[in-house]
Amino acid sequence: MFGTNIGAMVALLVVALVVVPVSFGVAARADAKVRGLSRPRVPDPDPRGSVADVDERREQWRQLATRAWLICGGASLVAVAVVGVLICVA
């Protein structure tokens, strides 16, 4: 109708619908890891990592979780927009 390629739109929708659950899983796992690293631990008789090391790992997991949540939200928005366009075109 407006030069919209239906095949490309469907392919984009499929990609978005695959990205959403994958990024959701990564984000949920990273959030769980951050929560696990935030809990007070029983003192280990043989500590191999310092508190700074735990803080650094916690921050890395937090950044991963933030990126994954943003990707999940963005892919969800793309999927909704593509479905809207496909409904209008069809």
Side-chain angles (χ1 to χ4, degrees), residues 16 19-20 22-24 64-77:
V19 169
V20 169
V22 171
S23 60
F24 182 83
L64 176 65
T66 301
R67 288 186 197 121
W69 283 121
L70 289 173
I71 290 169
C72 183
S76 298
L77 289 174

Side-chain angles (χ1 to χ4, degrees), residues 31-42 54 58:
D31 275 344
K33 190 70 171 175
V34 168
R35 280 193 304 273
L37 289 172
S38 296
R39 285 193 203 127
R41 300 267 178 195
V42 176
V54 172
R58 184 183 316 122

Side-chain angles (χ1 to χ4, degrees), residues 66-89:
T66 301
R67 288 186 197 121
W69 283 121
L70 289 173
I71 290 169
C72 183
S76 298
L77 289 174
V78 167
V80 169
V82 169
V83 168
V85 169
L86 288 173
I87 288 172
C88 290
V89 170

